[in-house]
Amino acid sequence: MKTLIIANWKMHYGPIKAGAWIRAFRRERLPKDVDIAVAVPHVSLAAARASLGRASIPALAAQNSFWIDDGAYTGETSPAMLLEFGVQYCLVGHSERRKNLGETDDMVAKKAAALQKSGIIPVICVGETEAQNKKGETNKVLRQQVSAAIADLKDGGKVSFVFAYEPVWAIGSGKPCPAQRAKEAHETIRSVVAKKFGAAHAQETIILYGGSVDARNIGEYVTTTGVNGALVGGASLDPRVFGLLCRAAMPT
Ligand code: PEP
């Protein structure tokens, strides 16, 4: 399975800077054996798409979606609208949204299912807080979040959803989760997927690690069994640094 690296700009870069980032990143030497996507704010999707032109690398991702295609939902954006920009992936349930915007497991499940149905691959973010980690509750939290998130997903027979294990305490903290601990968390996630979709499907499910990944430590993650790539926040903001990180993720 090909390594997948997804940049998450979070709430950075409006249309002008987004276009410049894409053009600068396109000048980087991009590894063929790594799938690369960039999750941009909704308002910057058009500019990112325009700067990409006919190029398909990086793939476009969104950071959020609603679960209904149209209607009286002021301020929301639907999977159908995201499709118009050629969005291929969409983050769902990022811990910043769970914490700051009250996104629940039920909302995450609805969003993931609606995206999958529309043909956009939901990238479902799960992970324990520092307090839960200290209490030894990591596996319990992951089992709960993952089983809730996949409740309405269908077995599409191919990669139609991705997980990102993002321990909340590792995000933006400069304290990445050791690769061996990430491996155990990924095994827990895979075991929950296996219960619903079977072992073969679980084996093919892409599970990313996210939390303080940079160009120096990416190699440890992508060479760890069961870690299929990374979701990258801070280290994706500079296109040259992100290019370096993508090259460092190349299989040796
Ligand atoms: C994230 O926002 O998903 C993330 C992993 O951020 P960072 O890489 O900055 O820890």
Side-chain angles (χ1 to χ4, degrees), residues 1 21 39 46 48 89 138 174 213:
M1 152 192 325
W21 189 101
Y89 300 91
T138 300
V213 173

Side-chain angles (χ1 to χ4, degrees), residues 6 13 25 55 78 80 94 97 119 121 125 129 131 179 226 235 244 251:
I6 304 182
Y13 301 159
F25 186 66
S78 69
H94 192 284
R97 295 193 60 84
I121 298 176
C125 305
T129 62
L244 195 65

